[in-house]
Structure formats: structure tokens, C-alpha cells
Amino acid sequence: MVLRSHALLSPKLHFRVLEFRVYTEETVFCFNSLTMAEDGVPPLDNLTLSDTVEEAAFSQRVPIRSILCRPDAGAGLAGQTLKVGGWVKKGREQGRGSFAFLELNDGSCPANLQLIIYADVAPLGQFTPTGTCLHVEGVLQMPPEDKQGKQSIELKVSKVLEVGTVDPAKYPLPKTQLTLEFLRDYVHLRPRTNTISAIARIRNALAYATHTFFQKHGFLYVHTPIITTSDCEGAGEMFQVTTLLNEAEKKAIKNPPASQEDVDLAKSVVKEKGEIVAKLKSDKAGKPEITAAVAELTKAKENLSMVEERFKPKDGKLDYGKDFFARQAFLTVSGQLQVETFACALSSVYTFGPTFRAEPSHTSRHLAEFWMVEPEIAFADIEDDMKCAEAYVRFLCQWLLDNCLDDMEFIADKFDKKAIERLKMVASTNFVRLSYTEAITILEEAVSKGQKFEHKVEWGIDLASEHEKYLTEIKFESPVIVYNYPKGIKAFYMKVNPDKKTVAAMDVLVPKVGELIGGSQREENYEVIKERILEMGLPLEPYEWYLDLRRYGTVKHSGFGLGFERMILFATGIDNIRDVIPFPRYPGRADL
Amino acid sequence: MVLRSHALLSPKLHFRVLEFRVYTEETVFCFNSLTMAEDGVPPLDNLTLSDTVEEAAFSQRVPIRSILCRPDAGAGLAGQTLKVGGWVKKGREQGRGSFAFLELNDGSCPANLQLIIYADVAPLGQFTPTGTCLHVEGVLQMPPEDKQGKQSIELKVSKVLEVGTVDPAKYPLPKTQLTLEFLRDYVHLRPRTNTISAIARIRNALAYATHTFFQKHGFLYVHTPIITTSDCEGAGEMFQVTTLLNEAEKKAIKNPPASQEDVDLAKSVVKEKGEIVAKLKSDKAGKPEITAAVAELTKAKENLSMVEERFKPKDGKLDYGKDFFARQAFLTVSGQLQVETFACALSSVYTFGPTFRAEPSHTSRHLAEFWMVEPEIAFADIEDDMKCAEAYVRFLCQWLLDNCLDDMEFIADKFDKKAIERLKMVASTNFVRLSYTEAITILEEAVSKGQKFEHKVEWGIDLASEHEKYLTEIKFESPVIVYNYPKGIKAFYMKVNPDKKTVAAMDVLVPKVGELIGGSQREENYEVIKERILEMGLPLEPYEWYLDLRRYGTVKHSGFGLGFERMILFATGIDNIRDVIPFPRYPGRADL
């Protein structure tokens, strides 16, 4: 069995299709895009449209990517009839209104497919406004020879299947360049812009790369809880999750607060009913009569106590016993402690989910809702942890280069000329490793040579952003892992080193964003971690389950957390974190 | 180039390793486990340990799966020295305490590796209790010939690296079989049990299969928000997310509610300060003196109004303008409406994340926090939607058969003998498709032939669970898709059919759990959907952004939602949904 000759992969065009199957007499071979990128010679010369449009099976369109992002830039498909759908980026009538050129984008890739539509097919005016949705059938054709090279294959429209029109006078996203800030007021429409759609594809690629990396290495994905009754760090500003307010408001409507008069009235009723009972008794009335009067008195007393209850100014404490979970519940700030329970049973695990901070930060680096990737590895020490973090970050960078280069080229061109260079550098560089103590020495040396820092450098400080940037951007021009931080500035669960002064914590610093990953070996010794909890002034009781992991079959283990949006900021060079998550949540804003 | 001869894949053993690379002079071939399962002849005879333990790169152990779950059941590895780590399932001393057999499990597969350890290596007593954690080095050896066939390769321990001991008198999970209900009180330890760990691996496999399926078909993964200010169906019981309670409680501590005496006291201070000012004025005192006295009066007045504010019984309404997002915010019940904004720009998208319902349901089918998979496809109608749903469910079933058969065999043996048969049936069967009207006719016929239902059958009802089960389990013994439901029982966003009586909704029903998927074509016509919102008595304002998708470049689109835990219930035959999610949340319970 010999495979047929290979077509060259155009260096400008990249497959996002993840896997190809080549069928032979003997077996089925799979090629994925990584393989292709590696040797550059995929066996694709006999590829037909149907090989690349499996993805179109559930949609009445051929993705534009399947047409344009082929080694032959679509040339081999000339003459084929197919349906495409998408939104018009730019449209213009030509030849005195006899035909129109429309640039169509369907979000499958940054490139647009050029449509040419003649006036005898349909009236042209409705198609040209930016934002118009079109679903058409047509024939792929090479442009006239004098335009070849400048322009790839185009579609001559033979039939318009559906149109979603736009009134250009009202459409909030006109053709003109809009700022990212302006677009934040239109989160429901901004995915239609070149920038936000490119970021969405990059985000998608990084998410799938994350799963692929960990699955490849035998990690199991664990869904840690979003609603939690534990506070991971014992420090976070947490959102509370409750059904009490709804209840309280419903009650307030049915049962408004009482006034002094309400109370006085209820009291007088009790008095009156009491007097009736007393009178009946002294009159030696019949038993049924007295029973009835007593029942009325009881009812009046119950009413009084209800009214008094409503009158009493509340002491501000809610009865969480009546809340949905019968206790106070919060949105998680990290899945780490919970995922440790799975690491202490399934060995290599990771979680990838939303986390929350109720900090009222208005910076370009903070969100109230963001996504975190948190692997946790049993039988692993801080060295293994650093190895894993480095391999993961490098894998992500290489993945973007292999699977998203067209989007990266667009972003680099528009926002950060160095973005691709940075990805290549990180993918191919061994990360520098420094102990915290070494890092402080380097920073002190820099200060002595005239480097200015706002925050004082001395052993024991938490590294400030400016220090991290100095290390990774100026001193080493490379990703840097700093490890063995002072015990006093780190969380209780981090393993105390033999020097008793430092803990086996590590941070991965990268150019552009600074800290990308924070991790540590976890303290697995029961006595030591118990001591640490108390030392931090935390109560033991909420951590009993966590202590159980050390009581019963304890295991050396390590893990880290990567802020997913930070990774996107790093990859793209975009400045504001609100632009790299589909629906940003921050103080005062939670649109949709 | 010719590949070398093939080893036969043992039908009982299955690779979870997702991809193999075979290097030749010409290129690199990738084989994944699907390929292997298909032809059963993977090119594995020259496979060494290092080929299967890439996953161990960040952990000081070789996963037990890499040893036992090979076509040769590990036999080819005899003589190799390696490290393993895991937890003892069963241990027994033998030969009058001269050696011990330990069954070690590391969570990488259901199978245990047998360790043999001699007393001269370490005292044996500490190793045998169930739950002990062991990290050891040893040599793989074939068991004595008379035991071969019964037992696979074992590890002779040469060095104990680390032990995490267990006091068997205190360990909550002794060797004896424990009920799933009992285990719910130990969510932090239950992953160590055979059942919960098998479910965790099945859940992991289904999650990765989900991403793989959609990525393969060109869908982009979109993170829809968890905190939302929209209510998808306009009906859900939602959890509220707030920082007001914390604030209110902090304030209550600093500033407790006032009593009548507090108010009287504050009033008397105002009166006194007022008299002083009056007196100074009538005495024609100096300006500085009067200014000072007026300032004191102002302060006393401010204090009074604060005290009065604290005294006032609250009217039960909170000022959400002061909440974190400056309005009421909730936990999402579905990402559908938000993911539609991306479908109307990127064409094929999906979301996979946690969703929430604050229903006080105590059933075995409801959770307050659960995961949903929601694809949304532009240029797709209800037919495409059904095609996608069917392909996805069949892909999931085939994936489990190909990648998790060992776990499925364990679960089937213990909980549901039909589980594997059911997966095979669904993976290989074309789903039956019925209109709702046809389904009602079938049910009515069944009734006329003596079938008993608790709920009356007539056109217009929502199908009850018993009806769904009849269709899928009795009538067709196959997955069934019911489509075109009466308008009156479905949500406002579903596309109204030309008959004006039904909407283009569809449900996928499967044996064992009934409804697994609910989906629909979405109404893309602006006028019609606006009408429907009003018809349902919903306000328009909160849906303006949703209407914008129809105002500007509207597109035919469809989507569905799959309850992820329901899929696990279906696959495993486990009865209670609380056992198929790592950290179940339901009324009164949110452990950890």
C-alpha cells in the first residue's frame, strides 16, 4: 500500500479541520492538522469538497472555511454547485446596477467569500447593506484571469434561498471601525465583528486544546461545584446564592410590616377575648361555650405574636436554615479543594469551569465571572507541577500556531504586532526557573543598578506586577517560573519546605500579562496542615473533609490554576479582559 | 512503506489512550482508539511501555491502565522496573507474614494491579488496610504458571517510596459493600469506590466525546454566562446572586437596629443642641461660637435621621441598585438565548456548562445544579436539528463502547445488565421519527387496546413520562424523536408551523430515562416572535436584545439541549442523578 503523492500546504492557509481519514484497502488512516503542520505534506491532492464538509452535515450550507482554507485556496472546487450562508461584510453594486459584489462571512474563518450576483437573479439593493444575512446557492468559479492571485475563488449566485435584511439607518454596527469599548454595549451583536469573532475562535481553540492536552496525558475531567459552602482561601469576596430574597419579597407583599396601631389593635383584641373567657368562667357557663371562647382567645394571641413579629425591627440576620440549601451558600472562587478529593482517588484530574469574585474591581484585568483550568496530580511534587504547567502553556501556544494562524494573523495585524512571535517564542523556549529568593536577589541587583520600582523590593514581599514584568520582559525575555515563596504570603494548603520559611508554591510569569499560572505542591501531612489552618486563624470545622484526605491514605500531590481569560490576553495581546469573554460581568454590568 | 504485522486486540481489553503515532520513513500516522476498534488490528506488537506512558510525564508513577489495558494484558512488559502509585483495595498477608498481596488501584481504570511485597522490604501490617496509599518501585513479573490465565501481570515491590496509612477502625469506607445512598454523605471520599470512580471515568469520556463531536463538525465552543439578568423561559425558579446580604449583615453588626429609646435619646440631643443655638443667638454671641453650635446641631440632626432610618421597619424591598451588578441577578437556567447571539454570527456553536434550577424537588431525577450541552445551528431547520441530535447521541454511545468498555462492563454487571446492549442498540439504530399528532394517535390506540395510563391522552397534552416510556420502550423499543408539538405547551421562541397550531419543537426519547433532548427551530420572524412574547404575557423590554437578532440580518436557526446527567443515567442505568455528578446540590444539601 502506497499513499499517493502529496500537495504542498500553502504557508498562509491553515486547516482547522481536526482530523482527516484516508481510506485504503487495508485500513483507515487519520491525519490531524498537527500532523500536517509538522511535515507540511498532507495527502490532500485528491481531496473533494465532501471530504471537508462533514461539518456541514447539520446545516444547509458549506462552511466558507471548507472552501477557502484548503491548500489550493479553493481552486480545485471550481465548477461545483453548493449552498453557503453568512452575513454581508461589504456589498457594492456595479456595472450600473447590473450586478453586485458581496463579501460574505459565516464565522467559520476570518476570510470572506466573494459572491457575485446579477440583477436578473433578484433585486440587488436588499443585499448590499452590512449585516444582511444571505443564504444562497451558486457555482464556484475562478475570477477573471487578470484578477487571479489578488483574489481567491468566488461564488456566482444562481438562487437566493433566504434573506435577512438590515435597515442600515438603524443597524448599530455600521461598516465603520468601532472601538472595543463601544462594542461592549452591544454584546449580543458584537460577535458579528471581525475582532470579536476572531477572539471567539481563538478562545474555542484554546478550550479544546486544554481538553486535548489533559486527555492525552490521562487526566480525567471533573466538574467541581459552582455553588459551594466552602471558601477555598478563607479570604475571597464571594457572591451569595440564595432563594431567601425572593421568599422575603413575596412575604413582604402578602404580609407587610406592622405599625404601632396594628400592635395596639391586636393587643386590645386579646384583652377583649380574655375578658370574655374570664366572664364565662366566673358565670360558670357551659363547657362548649368556654371552649369556643378559649379558641378565639388563642387565635387572637397567635395573631398578636405574628403582628409583633412583623413590628419588631429585624436584627439584620437572616435565617439561613430556611434558605434552599439550609445554610449559607456561595459561588465558587476555585475548584481546587474539591478537585483534590478526586486527585486523591483518580490520581490525575482537572477541572475547567467558571469561577467568581465579588471584588468591586474596575480594572482591565478583573472580571466577576471568569474561567479557570485547574489540574491536580497525585504522586507529583512541585517539580512535576512545573513540568506540567510548562508543557501545557507551550502546547496551547503551538496549538494556536497550528490551528488558528489565520485568526492570529488578523489579531496581530490589528492589535499586537508581536503576538505571533510571542507564541512562537513560548512554544519553543524552555522556561527559566528561579527560586523566589533568587528572584529577589535579581530584583535587588536591578535596583542597585538604577531600575526604579514603585513597590519596595525585599525578601518577604509578594511580587508586584512591575517585578514580574521586569523578570519576564526585561531580564530574561522569556517565560519564568518563580518557586518557593515565603510561607507568610501564601495559602494554608501549600506544602511547607524543609527550611520552614518557604512553601512549595510556583507562579508562571509570561511577557505581556505577568502571572499566568499559580500553583503549588499541597501539604499532605495531617499535623502540619492542621497547624497551618490554625496559624492562619481559620476555624477547623469547615475543613474537616479536607483534613480527611490527609487522615486516610494521604498522598503527595500538586496542582495549579490557569486563568483562562489571562491566557487569551497573553495570546492575542488584547488589552481589556472584558473583550475576551463572551459576556463580561463586572461591577454594575451583567448584560443579558 | 509497509506496516508491520498486527497484534490482535483482546476483546476484553480496551485502550483509553486516544491517539497513537506510528512513525515511518515517510510520515507519521495517527491511530486513535476508534480506528482500532473498527478493524481490531492495531499495529501494536512493537509497543513499548514508553509509548503508553506519555501521560505519566508529570507524575512519579506509571498509570496502571498503561500496564494492564494493553492488547497483551501487560505480558510484554515483564522484567521492566517501574514506579506505581495508588490506593489499596484489598490486602492480605500470606506465608505466615512473610509476604503480602495488595490489590492496588490508581483510578486510571477499573482493574487493580496486584503487588507482591516481602517482609524484608518493609513491615507489612501498615500496607494491608483498605484505603492505604502506596507509592512503590518494583519489577513486573508474570505470575507462577499455574496461576496464569486467571491473573494478569503483577508487580514485585522492591522499594516503598511513600505510604499514606489508614486506621481501619476509623476509615469511613471499609471493604464491605456500601450503598450509593450511604456514600452521598461522603462525597469527598466516595471517588475511591469502584462505582463512583467508574462513573467519573464515564462522565469524563462523555464530556470529551461531546467536545470532540462538535469540534469535528466545525462548531465553536462558547462560554455563555452563569450569572444572568435574563430569564430564558420566563418561568424558571431561579437562584438569586447577590452581595447585598453580606453588606446588610456587616451593616447590621456595625449599626444595629434602633429601639424607641435610641430614637427618644437622639431627639432629646437635637432639642438640647437646638436650644443652645437659640440661646447663643438671642445672647448675640460671637460668630465662631454660633457656627460651632450650629455644626453640633447639624450633627445631632444627622444622627437622628440615621437612628430613625434604623428604627423604621423595613418594607421588605431591597435596593438592587446597590447590588453588585446594580440590578437583580440570577444563576442561568439555560445558555440558549445567549448562545443564539453567537449562532447569528458564527453559524455553528455550542455551549456546555452548568445550569441551575431552584425547584424544591426531592426526586431522583432533579438537581439544583446540573450540566447542559446546547448546540445552536444557523441555516438549519428542525430536520437538521433532529439529524444533529441523533448523530450526537449515537456518537456518545459508540464512544463509550470504544473508550470505556471496561467501566461499562463493571457498571452493567453491578447495576444494569442491559446497559451495554442499550448503548449498542442506540449507536446502531436509526431513530424513529413521529409527529406529536402521530404519537397521540398511537397512544390513543394503545388505550383502546387496554393500555393503562395515569394521565389522560388527548391532543394538546404535554407527554407524560409514562407516555414517553410507552413509545420508546414498548411500542418501538428504540429511540424516538417526537416533533411538531402543540404551540400552547411550548416556549415562545419556538418556530410556529404553517398550521399555526404546532411549533417546530422536537424531543428525543430514549429507553430508561425518557426525554434526553429537547430542541426546536427558533422563530426567526420578528413580527411573529414579538407577537408570541406578548401572547405569553411576557414583557417585551427584557427581550429587546433577543428581538435585535431578528431585526438585523435574521437567520433560520435551530438548536437543542441535552441534560448531561440524564445522558449518564441513560448510559449507566444508575437510578439516582445524585450519584452521577461529583458534588450533587439539592434542597438542603450542598456539601463542600
Side-chain angles (χ1 to χ4, degrees):
Chain A
M1 182 223 84
V2 176
L3 289 172
R4 281 151 293 198
S5 66
H6 299 149
L8 273 167
L9 184 67
S10 149
K12 283 284 285 181
L13 293 162
H14 302 277
F15 277 75
R16 274 244 322 279
V17 179
L18 291 159
E19 189 179 82
F20 282 95
R21 300 203 196 99
V22 177
Y23 298 83
T24 72
E25 304 79 26
E26 289 167 56
T27 187
V28 181
F29 295 103
C30 300
F31 297 86
N32 66 25
S33 34
L34 281 172
T35 317
M36 284 193 287
E38 213 167 309
D39 55 29
V41 282
L44 291 174
D45 54 344
N46 290 324
L47 205 66
T48 66
L49 187 63
S50 65
D51 290 319
T52 58
V53 297
E54 185 186 6
E55 63 193 70
F58 318 124
S59 189
Q60 293 154 30
R61 63 174 184 114
V62 170
I64 289 172
R65 171 161 48 91
S66 313
I67 300 166
L68 297 182
C69 301
R70 298 163 41 106
D72 62 2
L77 301 175
Q80 301 222 26
T81 298
L82 45 77
K83 291 174 189 164
V84 297
W87 288 263
V88 173
K89 285 279 169 186
K90 260 187 276 181
R92 59 181 200 280
E93 288 188 48
Q94 291 220 322
R96 296 182 186 179
S98 64
F99 64 97
F101 284 120
L102 307 170
E103 296 287 318
L104 199 73
N105 187 285
D106 66 0
S108 65
C109 63
N112 304 325
L113 178 67
Q114 177 160 292
L115 307 187
I116 175 163
I117 179 166
Y118 286 88
D120 58 355
V121 175
L124 301 178
Q126 59 185 321
F127 303 136
T128 49
T130 297
T132 302
C133 181
L134 269 183
H135 190 197
V136 299
E137 191 173 279
V139 182
L140 286 172
Q141 61 182 26
M142 289 305 287
E145 273 195 26
D146 59 320
K147 289 198 176 164
Q148 281 179 24
K150 281 190 206 158
Q151 181 191 310
S152 41
I153 198 153
E154 64 185 20
L155 187 85
K156 188 183 164 207
V157 175
S158 53
K159 205 180 251 129
V160 175
L161 305 168
E162 268 143 332
V163 195
T165 58
V166 155
D167 178 349
K170 291 183 183 164
Y171 191 48
L173 305 185
K175 224 177 338 192
T176 48
Q177 289 248 338
L178 304 162
T179 67
L180 291 174
E181 200 178 351
F182 172 86
L183 290 175
R184 272 174 234 144
D185 289 336
Y186 296 92
V187 285
H188 62 304
L189 297 175
R190 68 177 187 168
R192 301 181 184 192
T193 63
N194 293 333
T195 301
I196 298 294
S197 65
I199 293 171
R201 285 186 295 268
I202 289 168
R203 187 178 172 105
N204 166 74
L206 287 172
Y208 191 56
T210 293
H211 286 297
T212 302
F213 176 83
F214 288 110
Q215 296 285 331
K216 244 170 93 103
H217 290 94
F219 286 66
L220 296 164
Y221 180 31
V222 173
H223 287 136
T224 47
I226 309 307
I227 298 172
T228 177
T229 47
S230 308
D231 178 353
C232 175
E233 314 258 339
E237 294 266 352
M238 295 172 96
F239 285 104
Q240 199 163 339
V241 174
T242 184
T243 51
L244 281 182
L245 296 183
N246 262 334
E247 290 306 308
E249 288 187 309
K250 278 185 214 152
K251 218 191 259 168
I253 291 160
K254 281 196 225 140
N255 197 20
S259 65
Q260 186 65 51
E261 293 88 81
D262 294 332
V263 177
D264 293 345
L265 180 66
K267 276 186 184 161
S268 72
V269 175
V270 169
K271 202 177 154 211
E272 181 194 322
K273 300 291 175 192
E275 283 165 0
I276 292 172
V277 171
K279 184 153 193 304
L280 286 171
K281 280 185 178 167
S282 73
D283 290 356
K284 312 238 174 200
K287 211 175 167 192
E289 258 179 293
I290 296 182
T291 308
V294 168
E296 280 205 25
L297 173 60
T298 309
K299 234 168 91 184
K301 279 181 177 168
E302 279 170 8
N303 183 51
L304 172 60
S305 73
M306 268 172 59
V307 171
E308 280 179 335
E309 173 67 25
R310 280 160 44 204
F311 177 67
K312 233 189 276 171
K314 294 282 177 292
D315 64 358
K317 286 227 170 138
L318 284 160
D319 180 3
Y320 289 113
K322 291 183 182 149
D323 209 346
F324 191 90
F325 298 110
R327 56 201 284 200
Q328 265 188 297
F330 303 94
L331 291 181
T332 185
V333 296
S334 158
Q336 180 205 316
L337 300 196
Q338 287 96 340
V339 91
E340 281 187 52
T341 67
F342 276 76
C344 294
L346 304 175
S347 303
S348 292
V349 295
Y350 69 109
T351 182
F352 180 14
T355 49
F356 307 84
R357 297 280 154 84
E359 282 170 275
S361 295
H362 284 271
T363 78
S364 61
R365 284 283 181 274
H366 291 89
L367 287 169
E369 174 178 322
F370 55 101
W371 285 65
M372 282 243 278
V373 179
E374 297 178 285
E376 193 72 31
I377 324 168
F379 309 101
D381 60 20
I382 186 78
E383 280 290 327
D384 300 308
D385 206 32
M386 291 194 276
K387 243 193 270 175
C388 182
E390 175 171 341
Y392 171 46
V393 171
R394 291 173 65 172
F395 183 89
L396 291 181
C397 293
Q398 190 60 48
W399 184 279
L400 287 184
L401 294 169
D402 291 335
N403 295 280
C404 262
L405 197 53
D406 47 2
D407 286 309
M408 281 304 307
E409 279 166 353
F410 171 81
I411 292 283
D413 185 49
K414 208 163 155 200
F415 293 95
D416 184 350
K417 299 275 179 276
K418 286 189 186 163
I420 292 175
E421 197 185 301
R422 204 163 50 229
L423 287 181
K424 285 186 181 158
M425 185 270 282
V426 173
S428 61
T429 307
N430 290 324
F431 292 10
V432 171
R433 294 193 193 177
L434 290 179
S435 71
Y436 169 88
T437 304
E438 286 165 333
I440 291 291
T441 306
I442 289 168
L443 293 169
E444 283 173 340
E445 271 169 22
V447 170
S448 74
K449 285 177 187 155
Q451 175 74 32
K452 296 269 177 259
F453 292 121
E454 225 174 281
H455 301 82
K456 203 188 163 189
V457 176
E458 62 183 350
W459 202 97
I461 61 160
D462 208 354
L463 295 184
S465 177
E466 54 176 346
H467 304 139
E468 296 175 344
K469 289 203 165 197
Y470 175 81
L471 291 172
T472 184
E473 290 177 6
I474 298 171
K475 175 73 185 178
F476 295 104
E477 296 182 76
S478 148
V480 174
I481 308 184
V482 178
Y483 59 92
N484 289 352
Y485 280 80
K487 190 171 81 162
I489 57 171
K490 290 290 181 180
F492 73 88
Y493 51 71
M494 297 186 176
K495 182 155 183 73
V496 179
N497 283 323
D499 65 13
K500 309 261 179 190
K501 281 166 51 190
T502 61
V503 288
M506 64 99 182
D507 285 350
V508 177
L509 316 177
V510 293
K512 181 87 195 175
V513 302
E515 187 193 325
L516 179 63
I517 280 178
S520 73
Q521 185 169 343
R522 319 307 188 186
E523 183 54 74
E524 86 269 28
N525 181 294
Y526 173 75
E527 296 299 337
V528 176
I529 198 165
K530 192 176 145 188
E531 195 59 36
R532 287 279 286 155
I533 292 174
L534 295 172
E535 211 173 278
M536 297 262 185
L538 297 169
L540 278 182
E541 194 280 323
Y543 296 101
E544 283 300 337
W545 63 268
Y546 192 66
L547 291 170
D548 273 358
L549 301 179
R550 280 74 182 166
R551 260 187 206 108
Y552 308 119
T554 190
V555 62
K556 174 173 75 185
H557 63 290
S558 300
F560 62 82
L562 170 131
F564 192 62
E565 284 75 21
R566 287 228 164 174
M567 181 64 212
I568 307 173
L569 289 178
F570 165 73
T572 59
I574 295 284
D575 281 323
N576 197 314
I577 199 165
R578 296 170 188 183
D579 301 322
V580 299
I581 190 166
F583 301 90
R585 272 82 183 92
Y586 47 95
R589 284 301 278 272
D591 290 0
L592 275 60
Chain B
M1 181 224 83
V2 175
L3 289 173
R4 280 150 295 196
S5 65
H6 300 149
L8 273 166
L9 185 66
S10 151
K12 283 284 285 182
L13 293 162
H14 305 276
F15 277 76
R16 274 244 322 278
V17 178
L18 290 159
E19 187 180 84
F20 283 94
R21 299 201 198 101
V22 178
Y23 297 83
T24 71
E25 304 79 27
E26 291 167 55
T27 186
V28 181
F29 294 104
C30 300
F31 295 87
N32 66 24
S33 34
L34 281 172
T35 316
M36 284 193 286
E38 213 168 306
D39 55 28
V41 282
L44 291 174
D45 55 343
N46 291 323
L47 204 67
T48 66
L49 186 62
S50 64
D51 289 319
T52 58
V53 298
E54 186 186 5
E55 63 194 69
F58 318 123
S59 188
Q60 292 153 33
R61 64 173 185 116
V62 170
I64 288 171
R65 169 160 49 92
S66 313
I67 301 166
L68 296 182
C69 301
R70 295 161 44 105
D72 62 2
L77 301 175
Q80 300 222 25
T81 299
L82 45 78
K83 290 175 191 167
V84 297
W87 289 262
V88 173
K89 284 280 170 186
K90 260 187 275 180
R92 60 182 199 279
E93 288 189 47
Q94 290 221 324
R96 299 183 183 180
S98 64
F99 65 97
F101 283 121
L102 308 170
E103 297 287 319
L104 199 74
N105 188 285
D106 65 0
S108 65
C109 62
N112 304 324
L113 177 67
Q114 178 160 292
L115 307 187
I116 176 164
I117 178 167
Y118 286 88
D120 58 354
V121 175
L124 301 178
Q126 60 185 320
F127 303 135
T128 50
T130 297
T132 302
C133 181
L134 270 182
H135 191 199
V136 299
E137 191 172 281
V139 182
L140 287 171
Q141 61 183 23
M142 291 305 287
E145 273 193 27
D146 59 320
K147 290 198 175 163
Q148 282 180 23
K150 281 188 210 163
Q151 181 192 310
S152 41
I153 200 155
E154 64 185 21
L155 187 84
K156 189 181 162 208
V157 175
S158 53
K159 206 169 76 216
V160 175
L161 306 167
E162 269 144 329
V163 195
T165 58
V166 154
D167 178 348
K170 292 184 183 163
Y171 191 49
L173 305 185
K175 224 177 337 190
T176 50
Q177 290 246 339
L178 304 162
T179 67
L180 290 174
E181 199 177 353
F182 173 86
L183 290 175
R184 272 174 232 144
D185 289 336
Y186 297 92
V187 285
H188 61 305
L189 297 175
R190 68 178 187 167
R192 300 181 185 192
T193 64
N194 294 332
T195 300
I196 298 294
S197 66
I199 293 170
R201 284 185 296 269
I202 289 168
R203 188 178 171 103
N204 167 73
L206 288 171
Y208 191 55
T210 294
H211 286 297
T212 303
F213 175 83
F214 287 110
Q215 296 286 331
K216 244 170 91 101
H217 290 94
F219 287 66
L220 296 165
Y221 181 31
V222 173
H223 286 137
T224 47
I226 310 306
I227 298 172
T228 177
T229 48
S230 309
D231 178 354
C232 174
E233 315 259 339
E237 295 266 351
M238 295 173 96
F239 286 103
Q240 200 163 339
V241 174
T242 183
T243 51
L244 281 182
L245 297 183
N246 262 335
E247 290 305 309
E249 289 188 308
K250 276 186 215 151
K251 219 191 258 168
I253 290 159
K254 282 196 224 138
N255 197 21
S259 64
Q260 188 62 54
E261 294 89 79
D262 293 333
V263 178
D264 294 345
L265 179 67
K267 277 186 183 160
S268 73
V269 174
V270 171
K271 199 176 156 213
E272 181 193 324
K273 301 289 177 192
E275 284 164 2
I276 293 171
V277 171
K279 183 155 195 302
L280 286 171
K281 280 187 177 169
S282 72
D283 291 355
K284 313 237 173 203
K287 208 175 169 191
E289 259 179 294
I290 294 180
T291 308
V294 167
E296 280 204 27
L297 174 60
T298 308
K299 232 167 93 185
K301 279 181 179 167
E302 278 170 10
N303 182 52
L304 173 60
S305 73
M306 268 171 61
V307 171
E308 279 177 337
E309 173 66 23
R310 281 158 45 203
F311 177 66
K312 234 189 274 171
K314 295 281 178 292
D315 65 359
K317 288 231 171 135
L318 284 160
D319 179 2
Y320 289 114
K322 290 182 182 151
D323 209 345
F324 191 90
F325 298 110
R327 57 200 283 198
Q328 264 189 298
F330 302 94
L331 291 182
T332 185
V333 296
S334 160
Q336 181 205 316
L337 300 197
Q338 287 96 342
V339 92
E340 280 187 52
T341 67
F342 277 77
C344 294
L346 305 174
S347 304
S348 293
V349 296
Y350 69 109
T351 182
F352 180 13
T355 49
F356 305 84
R357 296 280 154 86
E359 281 170 275
S361 295
H362 284 272
T363 78
S364 61
R365 286 282 181 276
H366 290 88
L367 288 169
E369 174 177 322
F370 55 101
W371 285 65
M372 283 243 277
V373 179
E374 297 177 286
E376 193 72 31
I377 325 169
F379 308 102
D381 61 18
I382 187 78
E383 280 289 328
D384 300 308
D385 205 33
M386 292 193 275
K387 242 193 271 175
C388 183
E390 175 170 342
Y392 170 46
V393 171
R394 291 173 66 171
F395 183 88
L396 291 180
C397 293
Q398 189 60 48
W399 184 279
L400 286 185
L401 293 169
D402 291 335
N403 296 280
C404 263
L405 197 54
D406 47 3
D407 286 309
M408 280 304 306
E409 278 166 352
F410 171 81
I411 291 285
D413 185 49
K414 210 166 154 198
F415 293 95
D416 184 350
K417 300 277 180 274
K418 287 189 185 160
I420 292 174
E421 199 184 300
R422 205 163 51 229
L423 288 181
K424 285 185 181 158
M425 185 271 281
V426 174
S428 61
T429 305
N430 289 326
F431 292 10
V432 171
R433 293 193 193 177
L434 290 178
S435 73
Y436 169 88
T437 303
E438 286 165 333
I440 290 292
T441 306
I442 289 168
L443 292 169
E444 282 172 340
E445 271 168 23
V447 170
S448 74
K449 285 178 189 156
Q451 175 74 32
K452 297 271 176 257
F453 292 121
E454 227 174 278
H455 302 82
K456 202 185 164 193
V457 176
E458 61 183 353
W459 201 96
I461 61 160
D462 208 353
L463 295 185
S465 177
E466 54 177 346
H467 304 141
E468 296 176 343
K469 288 201 167 201
Y470 174 81
L471 292 172
T472 183
E473 290 177 7
I474 298 172
K475 176 72 184 176
F476 294 105
E477 297 181 76
S478 147
V480 174
I481 307 184
V482 179
Y483 59 91
N484 288 353
Y485 281 81
K487 190 171 81 162
I489 57 172
K490 291 288 182 182
F492 74 87
Y493 50 71
M494 297 185 176
K495 181 156 185 74
V496 179
N497 283 323
D499 65 13
K500 308 261 181 189
K501 281 166 52 191
T502 61
V503 287
M506 64 97 183
D507 285 350
V508 178
L509 317 176
V510 292
K512 182 85 196 174
V513 303
E515 186 192 327
L516 179 63
I517 280 178
S520 73
Q521 186 170 341
R522 320 308 187 184
E523 183 54 73
E524 86 269 27
N525 181 296
Y526 173 75
E527 296 299 339
V528 176
I529 198 163
K530 192 176 146 189
E531 196 59 36
R532 288 278 286 153
I533 292 174
L534 295 171
E535 210 175 279
M536 296 262 185
L538 296 170
L540 278 182
E541 194 279 325
Y543 296 101
E544 283 300 337
W545 63 267
Y546 192 67
L547 291 170
D548 272 359
L549 302 179
R550 280 77 181 164
R551 261 187 206 108
Y552 308 120
T554 190
V555 63
K556 174 174 74 184
H557 63 291
S558 301
F560 63 82
L562 169 130
F564 193 61
E565 284 74 22
R566 286 231 164 170
M567 180 64 210
I568 307 174
L569 289 178
F570 164 73
T572 59
I574 295 284
D575 281 323
N576 197 314
I577 199 165
R578 297 172 187 182
D579 302 320
V580 300
I581 190 165
F583 302 89
R585 270 84 183 92
Y586 46 96
R589 286 299 280 274
D591 291 359
L592 274 62

